[in-house]
Amino acid sequence: MMNTWDLTPLFKNTDELESFSKTTISNCAEFSQKFSSKLNALAPEDFNKALKLYEILNADISKIMTYAFLVFAKDTKKGAFYAKFEELCTKAQQSLLFFELEFNKLDESKQNSFISASLNHTYYLQNLQKQKPHQLSIKEEEVLLRTASTGAQAFARLFDESMSAMKFEFRGEHLGEEEILSKLHDADRSVRKDAAESLSAELSRHQHLLTFIYNMIKTDLKTDCELRGFSSPEAPRHLDNQITKKSVDALIMASENSFNLVHIYYNKKREILGFNELYDYDRYAPLEAKNESYSFEKSKEIVLDAFNKFSTKFGKIANQAFNEGWIDVYPSDSKRGGAFSHPGSADAHPYVLLNHTNQRRDLFTLAHELGHAIHQNLSYSVGYLNSDTPLTTAETASVFCEMLVFDYVKNTLSGKEKQALLAGKLEDIFATLYRQINFTTFERRVHSHEGEISSQVLNKIWREESQKMFGKSVVLCEHYDIWHSYIPHFIHTPFYCYAYSYAQLLVLALFGLYKSAKCENFVEIYTKFLASGGSKSPQELVGMFGFDIDDEKFRQIGLKEIEKMLKEFEETVC
């Protein structure tokens, strides 16, 4: 079993990377010379050939950037290396920029004839048509492309480098971000309290920088939306997610109307722990007398057993991930915090980043990211342009795999151990559903603020939106006010977070269907659902199970599943 990435399936060495990059730039320039300003003259079958070549070239660019990004994620001191290949890829992308713009300038009958001839890319081209009102001229798009690496992307890189360099002083030690966050799950209340104060103290030392970065992200998004004619800063995300603002508003309302479930749970947890008040640093306090350790080897065994029980195909892909260098496991100096699964390249495989600290949450993080990796691996079958999954369904596989592992472990426990696991799962669900709703309403208020926003106002909005979720069940200390500043999604992908909420409700509905055994070929349908990638609309994909993602009844199915789990937890207390 390898504990770090093997990048050789992408490129054997940097010499091969350099050579491939030069060839890709040349191939893209040749493509531009051959097809730029000539799409209208193409026969449908020739357009289809051009589209397939366009897909290959985009996949080649992605392969280069995947390698560069992974090197940077592993060691954020290698920003210059990342920037070098980012610049080379920008040159390649500039040659391809005309293709989608020119397609959208064709008359509708010509477009439809091309769509009819491109059966494997029908949905991609139909979505491309929807982008037309927000596309600029070729010259304007070139300017935005060339300056992208010195705009929001540059500040996102600065954020990553700054967070990776931070060291949090804790009882004589200097810990990284993931290590200090893991202390918030410790069984010792004094450890949790000291960790919370350490986290806030170090973030406060960098607050001016972190606030400035966020303001630049906010300003860049505002400018882009104004140039492209979007009605609000969140509108581009909804278009990409193939969802409406009305649907997102309904999701937020349904979630906020059920915040009482959070209050009930935390009040019950406070009683179990014997505390007069539950503070923010007590939210993830384990109910066991001591923390159970989940080594990576132990977590691997649990995940493989749970996945294989559901689907041998899932188990096979996960086993490849463990044995073939798909996963970088442990925290290290200058390594990016958090966790992710990068789709990698179809001629290689996805790459998973972890920061495993032997906590129970790390077991579920492993399941979560391997869920992404399985989804990404399966979606290679529909091609590069179709594999890009809308965020409304992108988090489904990850959260579903968490549920597989939860259900597997739950069936081995009883009494206090089962109570503790149920508590942990409810907290995970609250984090995936309700906390992400808080994040979304926080972002809405931040991005509607005129001009640059101060650290004090950011902190105030964060507290107010967080308090909605917790009500009087959790006391938010003053140190909590700054905790918005380490959330990477606010910087890298504004308005991403509601996707987790969609996924959580969808997964609860799907998992309930799976466990009910009412759908005999559930595994087959679910595997097809994942393998479809982004080749179909979220509505069509979810419709494979008989659900309507925009229907209020669908949201209530997921919320009812939370109620059932909360009742099961309460029964363990009696």
Side-chain angles (χ1 to χ4, degrees):
M1 181 177 68
M2 299 179 66
N3 290 330
T4 190
W5 288 325
D6 175 12
L7 299 183
T8 57
L10 291 168
F11 298 102
K12 292 183 176 64
N13 49 51
T14 53
D15 288 341
E16 186 180 30
L17 173 65
E18 294 267 10
S19 175
F20 187 86
S21 299
K22 290 176 182 177
T23 301
T24 299
I25 291 172
S26 176
N27 289 342
C28 290
E30 184 179 332
F31 179 85
S32 177
Q33 187 176 10
K34 185 175 181 179
F35 294 108
S36 181
S37 302
K38 300 171 186 174
L39 293 189
N40 192 46
L42 295 179
E45 59 270 21
D46 292 325
F47 174 81
N48 190 30
K49 291 176 183 176
L51 178 58
K52 289 178 179 177
L53 180 54
Y54 175 74
E55 180 170 47
I56 291 169
L57 293 172
N58 273 284
D60 288 345
I61 294 170
S62 176
K63 184 176 179 180
I64 296 165
M65 282 310 302
T66 292
Y67 188 96
F69 170 73
L70 293 174
V71 168
F72 174 68
K74 177 72 174 174
D75 183 359
T76 56
K77 291 178 182 177
K78 294 183 177 178
F81 177 87
Y82 179 78
K84 174 184 176 179
F85 288 97
E86 185 178 41
E87 185 176 352
L88 291 175
C89 286
T90 297
K91 289 182 180 179
Q93 289 170 323
Q94 190 173 347
S95 295
L96 303 182
L97 197 56
F98 78 91
F99 189 80
E100 294 186 352
L101 298 173
E102 196 170 321
F103 173 81
N104 270 340
K105 288 183 179 178
L106 300 173
D107 64 66
E108 189 174 343
S109 62
K110 188 74 172 181
Q111 284 182 335
N112 289 337
S113 70
F114 285 172
I115 292 172
S116 297
S118 307
L119 296 179
N120 293 332
H121 295 92
T122 299
Y123 186 62
Y124 162 76
L125 292 172
Q126 289 172 340
N127 269 331
L128 184 55
Q129 289 176 309
K130 296 175 184 177
Q131 299 283 349
K132 182 177 180 178
H134 307 292
Q135 290 174 332
L136 306 177
S137 71
I138 184 71
K139 288 297 181 184
E140 290 170 321
E141 293 288 0
E142 284 179 355
V143 169
L144 291 177
L145 178 64
R146 290 292 298 273
T147 58
S149 60
T150 56
Q153 291 178 19
F155 286 103
R157 174 184 154 191
L158 177 60
F159 174 85
D160 287 344
E161 292 182 3
S162 300
M163 290 302 303
S164 297
M166 285 186 202
K167 292 298 177 185
F168 300 85
E169 188 174 344
F170 180 81
R171 299 184 176 183
E173 295 182 88
H174 290 85
L175 305 179
E177 178 191 353
E178 289 301 320
E179 293 168 313
I180 197 67
L181 288 173
S182 73
K183 298 291 185 185
L184 296 175
H185 296 253
D186 199 274
D188 186 331
R189 195 181 199 190
S190 67
V191 169
R192 298 195 302 272
K193 185 174 185 291
D194 288 353
E197 291 175 350
S198 172
L199 175 65
S200 297
E202 184 64 17
L203 290 173
S204 295
R205 279 190 277 273
H206 302 272
Q207 187 167 26
H208 176 75
L209 172 65
L210 296 173
T211 298
F212 181 74
I213 290 172
Y214 200 1
N215 271 301
M216 293 304 99
I217 297 296
K218 173 177 174 289
T219 302
D220 185 90
L221 179 58
K222 180 176 185 290
T223 301
D224 193 67
C225 287
E226 289 175 351
L227 290 172
R228 297 187 181 281
F230 283 108
S231 59
S232 71
E234 64 189 87
R237 185 67 61 201
H238 302 332
L239 182 61
D240 287 345
N241 287 347
Q242 298 152 46
I243 207 79
T244 63
K245 181 178 180 297
K246 182 180 179 181
S247 178
V248 177
D249 289 344
L251 171 70
I252 291 172
M253 181 178 294
S255 301
E256 290 186 335
N257 286 342
S258 62
F259 277 165
N260 65 298
L261 300 179
V262 180
H263 307 162
I264 292 169
Y265 168 76
Y266 279 117
N267 281 324
K268 183 63 67 175
K269 181 172 186 175
R270 177 183 54 77
E271 292 175 13
I272 295 170
L273 292 172
F275 296 159
N276 292 325
E277 289 185 303
L278 199 72
Y279 292 100
D280 52 75
Y281 52 78
D282 295 320
R283 285 175 299 145
Y284 300 120
L287 296 186
E288 307 97 321
K290 67 175 185 176
N291 293 341
E292 184 176 357
S293 178
Y294 284 85
S295 68
F296 185 65
E297 185 62 36
K298 178 179 178 179
S299 298
K300 170 196 167 185
E301 291 176 5
I302 292 171
V303 165
L304 284 176
D305 285 349
F307 284 14
N308 275 310
K309 184 180 177 183
F310 174 72
S311 162
T312 54
K313 192 165 193 172
F314 276 42
K316 181 181 178 181
I317 296 173
N319 200 53
Q320 283 181 270
F322 288 118
N323 295 324
E324 297 177 12
W326 295 23
I327 310 174
D328 194 272
V329 179
Y330 298 108
S332 60
D333 284 344
S334 301
K335 180 179 175 181
R336 176 174 162 164
F340 63 70
S341 180
H342 193 287
S345 173
D347 55 5
H349 51 70
Y351 284 87
V352 172
L353 179 138
L354 303 174
N355 278 280
H356 197 90
T357 56
N358 296 337
Q359 301 278 341
R360 182 171 57 205
R361 70 184 185 122
D362 295 310
L363 164 66
F364 291 105
T365 297
L366 174 62
H368 182 103
E369 300 306 338
L370 282 178
H372 278 308
I374 290 169
H375 194 178
Q376 291 158 354
N377 184 268
L378 290 172
S379 67
Y380 288 158
S381 63
V382 293
Y384 178 79
L385 295 177
N386 286 327
S387 64
D388 187 18
T389 308
L391 294 181
T392 35
T393 52
E395 292 294 340
T396 306
S398 53
V399 180
F400 190 89
C401 282
E402 285 188 62
M403 285 298 295
L404 287 175
V405 170
F406 163 73
D407 194 58
Y408 174 86
V409 175
K410 187 182 76 167
N411 290 334
T412 67
L413 303 177
S414 60
K416 290 291 184 182
E417 289 181 325
K418 184 177 180 180
Q419 180 191 83
L421 183 73
L422 281 164
K425 189 58 195 170
L426 282 165
E427 289 163 13
D428 288 343
I429 290 174
F430 294 163
T432 307
L433 172 60
Y434 296 121
R435 191 162 179 252
Q436 305 306 318
I437 293 298
N438 286 166
F439 286 2
T440 302
T441 54
F442 168 76
E443 285 188 283
R444 280 183 164 184
R445 289 181 63 183
V446 169
H447 285 272
S448 66
H449 190 279
E450 287 295 326
E452 289 201 9
I453 190 166
S454 68
S455 299
Q456 291 72 29
V457 172
L458 278 172
N459 293 354
K460 180 176 181 290
I461 295 173
W462 174 254
R463 168 178 283 273
E464 289 172 353
E465 293 306 313
S466 298
Q467 199 71 66
K468 289 180 184 178
M469 169 180 168
F470 297 116
K472 296 180 180 179
S473 66
V474 175
V475 177
L476 301 180
C477 302
E478 187 176 344
H479 62 236
Y480 182 83
D481 292 359
I482 197 175
W483 286 10
H484 59 84
S485 61
Y486 72 86
I487 307 298
H489 289 119
F490 296 157
I491 307 302
H492 290 283
T493 44
F495 296 102
Y496 181 110
C497 294
Y498 70 76
Y500 286 108
S501 304
Y502 268 110
Q504 184 64 79
L505 290 180
L506 173 57
V507 165
L508 287 168
L510 290 179
F511 201 77
L513 179 63
Y514 165 60
K515 293 296 290 183
S516 73
K518 292 178 181 178
C519 182
E520 292 182 4
N521 58 338
F522 180 90
V523 175
E524 179 185 344
I525 296 174
Y526 185 67
T527 304
K528 184 179 179 181
F529 167 87
L530 297 183
S532 298
S535 63
K536 300 176 182 178
S537 71
Q539 286 79 7
E540 186 176 355
L541 288 171
V542 175
M544 293 167 68
F545 301 96
F547 296 131
D548 180 356
I549 198 171
D550 286 328
D551 192 340
E552 174 62 24
K553 293 179 182 177
F554 163 72
R555 287 184 285 272
Q556 292 304 319
I557 291 171
L559 292 172
K560 290 292 183 184
E561 290 294 322
I562 300 174
E563 288 182 21
K564 284 165 58 178
M565 193 178 296
L566 179 57
K567 184 177 180 181
E568 187 178 4
F569 169 73
E570 290 181 303
E571 287 172 353
T572 67
V573 179
C574 300

